[in-house]
Amino acid sequence: MELKVQPIDIHVGKYKVILNSIDAKELGVYEGDRVRVTGHITVTAIVDFTDDLIPPGMIGLYHEIKEDLKREWTEIVKVEPAEKPRSARIIRKIMDRNKLEQDEIHELVKDIVEENLSEIEIAAFLASSYINDMTDDETEWLTRAMIDTGEKLEFNSSPIMDKHSIGGVPGNKISLLIVPIVAANGLLIPKTSSRAITGAAGTADLMEVLAPVEFSSAEVKEMTEKVGGVLVWGGATNIAPADDKLIKVEYPLSIDPHCQMLASIMAKKGAVGATHVVMDIPTGPGTKIKNIHEGRKLSRDLINLGERLGMNVDCALTYGASPVGRTVGPALEVREALKVLETMEGPNSLIEKSTVLAGMLLEMGGAASPGQGQELALETLRNGKALAKMKEIIEVQGGDPNVSYKDIQPGEFTADLVSPATGYVIEFRNKRIVQIARVAGAPNDKGAGVLIHKKHGEVVKKGEPILTIYADKEKKLEDALKNAQRDLPIVVEGMLLEKVPSIREI
């Protein structure tokens, strides 16, 4: 069938076309099927239907198809049905609980990266691997495929250090301290980080307060070799590109298959050339890892996968029942971290966690003797070397190296949430803290977030502020305060939950 092209100049990130239902019926294709579209070259695209957007006799080509065809919008293209890619059948194999070969997994990941699969097919892959976990061999092959289908950083020197936090704990700003500490001691640490998906601030969101974070792989390598470390957004590179595409589909499903989580973490480390990695695994209520037992199992799996990939992996099970430090949200967290770098003043939870993990990396990289890593990390903070290195990192990424924590201003609109009773904090609900910060505008509004005055076990008086909400916009502050008051994120001992009157009182 020959169809006239109608422009739809929209980037959809997939090879997709829109057919009128009449033409689709004539071709014998259904939504989600593939068609070959031939102009000067031939490309394969996934079909969407419409009854009115595209009239019969025409085909809607999205931007990506138009760019590949290199045709003018007004020309005629030939359209014919195409078979589904082999990887669609490979997904069915997973659903049937059959084991995969290495070449099958590579082909599957390649089709995900090249966007030859629909989101429904990717969702089927994720759901199947969530129900039927992959073997150790399959997980290794999945990881290697995710590395090989993207760009890789290759350094001439060794070791290359890296760290990763599993997530689930608000205020986990430790990379802003760990990276400069490690780099200040002569080790290379090309830290690629994520933006927040469900949280109030990813490491990339934090660093963006201080400097640009979007760079190519080549630029990341060059900057790391120049100053020893970087803090950049991994999504701007082409490092392990399958991961972002899988996460996009995982999010609405609220699933995180075990094999996919392992591959996601380790592929990013392998792609940046890491030889030594420390994993931060927060455990406790409100985290992804509910208890020590689960944390130990995940640690063994990460260490085992690291060995298969030629990486040395150490894991740290860390306390995750309350936020790290007293701030949640981009500007607030950056201010707190910079203050530690500049003055060594700050929450013990932030300083201790950062120096313990940095110390592990220093020992793994040979910069510190066994058992002496944390002390060297603390000394690197005290003597100002970590601060000096952070200034170099900020400058090489295009920020102002002279910025001080005093220059970082949170949102101008604030409101206090006060304690309804006198007592002490007996419960801290991490997810509610994150929800409040997000309603206030975080992470997109850099000044939005929460400053925590009282943490677990601390004494509080009735009417005393337990946290302050910051926002860049007044309406968002009002919404966040209402949200916080409706379901308090902090429980104080002695707080009356409800009074149920007796019959005689009614």
Side-chain angles (χ1 to χ4, degrees), residues 157-181:
S157 59
S158 184
I160 304 299
M161 317 306 293
D162 207 344
K163 58 82 55 179
H164 179 82
S165 291
I166 300 300
V169 179
N172 201 24
K173 57 196 76 69
I174 56 175
S175 290
L176 297 182
L177 300 183
I178 291 174
V179 171
I181 289 172

PDB file of all heavy atoms in Angstrom, residues 157-181:
ATOM      1  N   SER A 157      44.309   3.998  33.576  1.00  0.00           N
ATOM      2  CA  SER A 157      44.838   3.685  34.901  1.00  0.00           C
ATOM      3  C   SER A 157      43.841   2.829  35.675  1.00  0.00           C
ATOM      4  O   SER A 157      42.692   2.669  35.281  1.00  0.00           O
ATOM      5  CB  SER A 157      45.130   4.970  35.676  1.00  0.00           C
ATOM      6  OG  SER A 157      43.950   5.741  35.815  1.00  0.00           O
ATOM      7  N   SER A 158      44.300   2.295  36.781  1.00  0.00           N
ATOM      8  CA  SER A 158      43.463   1.477  37.660  1.00  0.00           C
ATOM      9  C   SER A 158      43.971   1.693  39.084  1.00  0.00           C
ATOM     10  O   SER A 158      45.166   1.964  39.285  1.00  0.00           O
ATOM     11  CB  SER A 158      43.578   0.005  37.262  1.00  0.00           C
ATOM     12  OG  SER A 158      42.721  -0.809  38.019  1.00  0.00           O
ATOM     13  N   PRO A 159      43.116   1.623  40.104  1.00  0.00           N
ATOM     14  CA  PRO A 159      41.711   1.230  40.076  1.00  0.00           C
ATOM     15  C   PRO A 159      40.782   2.393  39.724  1.00  0.00           C
ATOM     16  O   PRO A 159      41.176   3.557  39.802  1.00  0.00           O
ATOM     17  CB  PRO A 159      41.459   0.771  41.513  1.00  0.00           C
ATOM     18  CG  PRO A 159      42.361   1.655  42.330  1.00  0.00           C
ATOM     19  CD  PRO A 159      43.608   1.827  41.490  1.00  0.00           C
ATOM     20  N   ILE A 160      39.558   2.039  39.356  1.00  0.00           N
ATOM     21  CA  ILE A 160      38.483   3.013  39.146  1.00  0.00           C
ATOM     22  C   ILE A 160      37.422   2.716  40.194  1.00  0.00           C
ATOM     23  O   ILE A 160      36.905   1.603  40.269  1.00  0.00           O
ATOM     24  CB  ILE A 160      37.877   2.895  37.731  1.00  0.00           C
ATOM     25  CG1 ILE A 160      38.958   3.044  36.660  1.00  0.00           C
ATOM     26  CG2 ILE A 160      36.778   3.936  37.543  1.00  0.00           C
ATOM     27  CD1 ILE A 160      39.683   4.379  36.673  1.00  0.00           C
ATOM     28  N   MET A 161      37.108   3.716  41.012  1.00  0.00           N
ATOM     29  CA  MET A 161      36.209   3.533  42.142  1.00  0.00           C
ATOM     30  C   MET A 161      34.789   3.984  41.800  1.00  0.00           C
ATOM     31  O   MET A 161      34.583   4.836  40.933  1.00  0.00           O
ATOM     32  CB  MET A 161      36.719   4.333  43.354  1.00  0.00           C
ATOM     33  CG  MET A 161      38.219   4.258  43.605  1.00  0.00           C
ATOM     34  SD  MET A 161      38.853   2.563  43.734  1.00  0.00           S
ATOM     35  CE  MET A 161      38.071   2.016  45.241  1.00  0.00           C
ATOM     36  N   ASP A 162      33.830   3.434  42.516  1.00  0.00           N
ATOM     37  CA  ASP A 162      32.441   3.867  42.353  1.00  0.00           C
ATOM     38  C   ASP A 162      31.649   3.463  43.592  1.00  0.00           C
ATOM     39  O   ASP A 162      32.088   2.605  44.363  1.00  0.00           O
ATOM     40  CB  ASP A 162      31.810   3.246  41.112  1.00  0.00           C
ATOM     41  CG  ASP A 162      30.685   4.101  40.526  1.00  0.00           C
ATOM     42  OD1 ASP A 162      30.198   5.007  41.233  1.00  0.00           O
ATOM     43  OD2 ASP A 162      30.302   3.860  39.363  1.00  0.00           O
ATOM     44  N   LYS A 163      30.516   4.096  43.802  1.00  0.00           N
ATOM     45  CA  LYS A 163      29.606   3.713  44.882  1.00  0.00           C
ATOM     46  C   LYS A 163      28.184   3.811  44.375  1.00  0.00           C
ATOM     47  O   LYS A 163      27.888   4.521  43.405  1.00  0.00           O
ATOM     48  CB  LYS A 163      29.799   4.559  46.147  1.00  0.00           C
ATOM     49  CG  LYS A 163      29.623   6.066  46.016  1.00  0.00           C
ATOM     50  CD  LYS A 163      28.236   6.611  46.046  1.00  0.00           C
ATOM     51  CE  LYS A 163      27.402   6.239  47.235  1.00  0.00           C
ATOM     52  NZ  LYS A 163      26.044   6.893  47.137  1.00  0.00           N
ATOM     53  N   HIS A 164      27.319   3.061  45.028  1.00  0.00           N
ATOM     54  CA  HIS A 164      25.916   3.088  44.625  1.00  0.00           C
ATOM     55  C   HIS A 164      25.054   2.912  45.861  1.00  0.00           C
ATOM     56  O   HIS A 164      25.348   2.075  46.724  1.00  0.00           O
ATOM     57  CB  HIS A 164      25.608   1.962  43.635  1.00  0.00           C
ATOM     58  CG  HIS A 164      24.169   1.935  43.204  1.00  0.00           C
ATOM     59  ND1 HIS A 164      23.679   2.758  42.216  1.00  0.00           N
ATOM     60  CD2 HIS A 164      23.114   1.197  43.652  1.00  0.00           C
ATOM     61  CE1 HIS A 164      22.383   2.524  42.062  1.00  0.00           C
ATOM     62  NE2 HIS A 164      22.014   1.591  42.920  1.00  0.00           N
ATOM     63  N   SER A 165      23.999   3.710  45.956  1.00  0.00           N
ATOM     64  CA  SER A 165      23.024   3.561  47.029  1.00  0.00           C
ATOM     65  C   SER A 165      21.762   2.937  46.456  1.00  0.00           C
ATOM     66  O   SER A 165      21.246   3.401  45.427  1.00  0.00           O
ATOM     67  CB  SER A 165      22.700   4.918  47.667  1.00  0.00           C
ATOM     68  OG  SER A 165      23.811   5.413  48.387  1.00  0.00           O
ATOM     69  N   ILE A 166      21.270   1.896  47.124  1.00  0.00           N
ATOM     70  CA  ILE A 166      20.078   1.197  46.654  1.00  0.00           C
ATOM     71  C   ILE A 166      18.873   2.120  46.666  1.00  0.00           C
ATOM     72  O   ILE A 166      17.958   1.993  45.861  1.00  0.00           O
ATOM     73  CB  ILE A 166      19.802  -0.053  47.523  1.00  0.00           C
ATOM     74  CG1 ILE A 166      20.984  -1.004  47.456  1.00  0.00           C
ATOM     75  CG2 ILE A 166      18.528  -0.756  47.086  1.00  0.00           C
ATOM     76  CD1 ILE A 166      21.300  -1.500  46.071  1.00  0.00           C
ATOM     77  N   GLY A 167      18.847   3.089  47.574  1.00  0.00           N
ATOM     78  CA  GLY A 167      17.759   4.056  47.624  1.00  0.00           C
ATOM     79  C   GLY A 167      16.740   3.727  48.695  1.00  0.00           C
ATOM     80  O   GLY A 167      16.875   2.765  49.447  1.00  0.00           O
ATOM     81  N   GLY A 168      15.723   4.579  48.764  1.00  0.00           N
ATOM     82  CA  GLY A 168      14.652   4.384  49.740  1.00  0.00           C
ATOM     83  C   GLY A 168      14.782   5.226  50.980  1.00  0.00           C
ATOM     84  O   GLY A 168      13.890   5.224  51.833  1.00  0.00           O
ATOM     85  N   VAL A 169      15.883   5.981  51.108  1.00  0.00           N
ATOM     86  CA  VAL A 169      16.090   6.819  52.287  1.00  0.00           C
ATOM     87  C   VAL A 169      16.151   8.282  51.844  1.00  0.00           C
ATOM     88  O   VAL A 169      17.005   8.640  51.028  1.00  0.00           O
ATOM     89  CB  VAL A 169      17.386   6.457  53.025  1.00  0.00           C
ATOM     90  CG1 VAL A 169      17.591   7.368  54.229  1.00  0.00           C
ATOM     91  CG2 VAL A 169      17.355   5.006  53.467  1.00  0.00           C
ATOM     92  N   PRO A 170      15.280   9.129  52.350  1.00  0.00           N
ATOM     93  CA  PRO A 170      15.335  10.546  51.962  1.00  0.00           C
ATOM     94  C   PRO A 170      16.570  11.236  52.528  1.00  0.00           C
ATOM     95  O   PRO A 170      17.110  10.840  53.554  1.00  0.00           O
ATOM     96  CB  PRO A 170      14.047  11.129  52.567  1.00  0.00           C
ATOM     97  CG  PRO A 170      13.618  10.173  53.619  1.00  0.00           C
ATOM     98  CD  PRO A 170      14.143   8.835  53.235  1.00  0.00           C
ATOM     99  N   GLY A 171      17.024  12.248  51.826  1.00  0.00           N
ATOM    100  CA  GLY A 171      18.150  13.045  52.306  1.00  0.00           C
ATOM    101  C   GLY A 171      19.503  12.363  52.167  1.00  0.00           C
ATOM    102  O   GLY A 171      20.471  12.781  52.808  1.00  0.00           O
ATOM    103  N   ASN A 172      19.605  11.356  51.288  1.00  0.00           N
ATOM    104  CA  ASN A 172      20.840  10.568  51.189  1.00  0.00           C
ATOM    105  C   ASN A 172      21.860  11.266  50.292  1.00  0.00           C
ATOM    106  O   ASN A 172      22.214  10.793  49.219  1.00  0.00           O
ATOM    107  CB  ASN A 172      20.525   9.176  50.662  1.00  0.00           C
ATOM    108  CG  ASN A 172      21.609   8.164  51.000  1.00  0.00           C
ATOM    109  OD1 ASN A 172      22.343   8.344  51.958  1.00  0.00           O
ATOM    110  ND2 ASN A 172      21.699   7.111  50.226  1.00  0.00           N
ATOM    111  N   LYS A 173      22.364  12.392  50.774  1.00  0.00           N
ATOM    112  CA  LYS A 173      23.229  13.282  50.014  1.00  0.00           C
ATOM    113  C   LYS A 173      24.707  12.918  50.105  1.00  0.00           C
ATOM    114  O   LYS A 173      25.593  13.720  49.806  1.00  0.00           O
ATOM    115  CB  LYS A 173      23.021  14.709  50.529  1.00  0.00           C
ATOM    116  CG  LYS A 173      23.290  14.829  52.033  1.00  0.00           C
ATOM    117  CD  LYS A 173      22.735  16.103  52.643  1.00  0.00           C
ATOM    118  CE  LYS A 173      21.259  16.078  52.834  1.00  0.00           C
ATOM    119  NZ  LYS A 173      20.774  15.140  53.887  1.00  0.00           N
ATOM    120  N   ILE A 174      25.003  11.676  50.498  1.00  0.00           N
ATOM    121  CA  ILE A 174      26.372  11.296  50.847  1.00  0.00           C
ATOM    122  C   ILE A 174      27.359  11.370  49.685  1.00  0.00           C
ATOM    123  O   ILE A 174      28.554  11.567  49.913  1.00  0.00           O
ATOM    124  CB  ILE A 174      26.401   9.880  51.462  1.00  0.00           C
ATOM    125  CG1 ILE A 174      25.770   8.864  50.514  1.00  0.00           C
ATOM    126  CG2 ILE A 174      25.674   9.879  52.807  1.00  0.00           C
ATOM    127  CD1 ILE A 174      25.868   7.427  51.004  1.00  0.00           C
ATOM    128  N   SER A 175      26.903  11.241  48.448  1.00  0.00           N
ATOM    129  CA  SER A 175      27.836  11.297  47.309  1.00  0.00           C
ATOM    130  C   SER A 175      28.536  12.651  47.224  1.00  0.00           C
ATOM    131  O   SER A 175      29.661  12.740  46.732  1.00  0.00           O
ATOM    132  CB  SER A 175      27.110  10.999  45.991  1.00  0.00           C
ATOM    133  OG  SER A 175      26.727   9.646  45.929  1.00  0.00           O
ATOM    134  N   LEU A 176      27.874  13.712  47.694  1.00  0.00           N
ATOM    135  CA  LEU A 176      28.494  15.038  47.668  1.00  0.00           C
ATOM    136  C   LEU A 176      29.698  15.120  48.591  1.00  0.00           C
ATOM    137  O   LEU A 176      30.538  16.016  48.454  1.00  0.00           O
ATOM    138  CB  LEU A 176      27.469  16.108  48.066  1.00  0.00           C
ATOM    139  CG  LEU A 176      26.255  16.277  47.147  1.00  0.00           C
ATOM    140  CD1 LEU A 176      25.362  17.397  47.649  1.00  0.00           C
ATOM    141  CD2 LEU A 176      26.690  16.540  45.714  1.00  0.00           C
ATOM    142  N   LEU A 177      29.802  14.185  49.530  1.00  0.00           N
ATOM    143  CA  LEU A 177      30.972  14.121  50.404  1.00  0.00           C
ATOM    144  C   LEU A 177      31.913  13.003  49.966  1.00  0.00           C
ATOM    145  O   LEU A 177      33.137  13.171  49.970  1.00  0.00           O
ATOM    146  CB  LEU A 177      30.546  13.887  51.860  1.00  0.00           C
ATOM    147  CG  LEU A 177      29.627  14.936  52.491  1.00  0.00           C
ATOM    148  CD1 LEU A 177      29.360  14.585  53.949  1.00  0.00           C
ATOM    149  CD2 LEU A 177      30.234  16.320  52.406  1.00  0.00           C
ATOM    150  N   ILE A 178      31.365  11.854  49.598  1.00  0.00           N
ATOM    151  CA  ILE A 178      32.194  10.693  49.278  1.00  0.00           C
ATOM    152  C   ILE A 178      33.069  10.948  48.056  1.00  0.00           C
ATOM    153  O   ILE A 178      34.278  10.647  48.067  1.00  0.00           O
ATOM    154  CB  ILE A 178      31.300   9.456  49.049  1.00  0.00           C
ATOM    155  CG1 ILE A 178      30.654   9.019  50.370  1.00  0.00           C
ATOM    156  CG2 ILE A 178      32.108   8.313  48.451  1.00  0.00           C
ATOM    157  CD1 ILE A 178      29.635   7.906  50.227  1.00  0.00           C
ATOM    158  N   VAL A 179      32.497  11.479  46.986  1.00  0.00           N
ATOM    159  CA  VAL A 179      33.266  11.671  45.750  1.00  0.00           C
ATOM    160  C   VAL A 179      34.476  12.578  45.964  1.00  0.00           C
ATOM    161  O   VAL A 179      35.604  12.209  45.595  1.00  0.00           O
ATOM    162  CB  VAL A 179      32.356  12.175  44.608  1.00  0.00           C
ATOM    163  CG1 VAL A 179      33.190  12.579  43.394  1.00  0.00           C
ATOM    164  CG2 VAL A 179      31.355  11.096  44.215  1.00  0.00           C
ATOM    165  N   PRO A 180      34.333  13.769  46.570  1.00  0.00           N
ATOM    166  CA  PRO A 180      35.526  14.596  46.781  1.00  0.00           C
ATOM    167  C   PRO A 180      36.523  13.987  47.766  1.00  0.00           C
ATOM    168  O   PRO A 180      37.733  14.182  47.609  1.00  0.00           O
ATOM    169  CB  PRO A 180      34.970  15.926  47.293  1.00  0.00           C
ATOM    170  CG  PRO A 180      33.587  15.640  47.759  1.00  0.00           C
ATOM    171  CD  PRO A 180      33.097  14.503  46.926  1.00  0.00           C
ATOM    172  N   ILE A 181      36.045  13.256  48.775  1.00  0.00           N
ATOM    173  CA  ILE A 181      36.968  12.603  49.713  1.00  0.00           C
ATOM    174  C   ILE A 181      37.830  11.586  48.976  1.00  0.00           C
ATOM    175  O   ILE A 181      39.055  11.551  49.119  1.00  0.00           O
ATOM    176  CB  ILE A 181      36.198  11.921  50.864  1.00  0.00           C
ATOM    177  CG1 ILE A 181      35.585  12.961  51.808  1.00  0.00           C
ATOM    178  CG2 ILE A 181      37.130  10.997  51.654  1.00  0.00           C
ATOM    179  CD1 ILE A 181      34.659  12.363  52.860  1.00  0.00           C
TER     180      ILE A 181
END
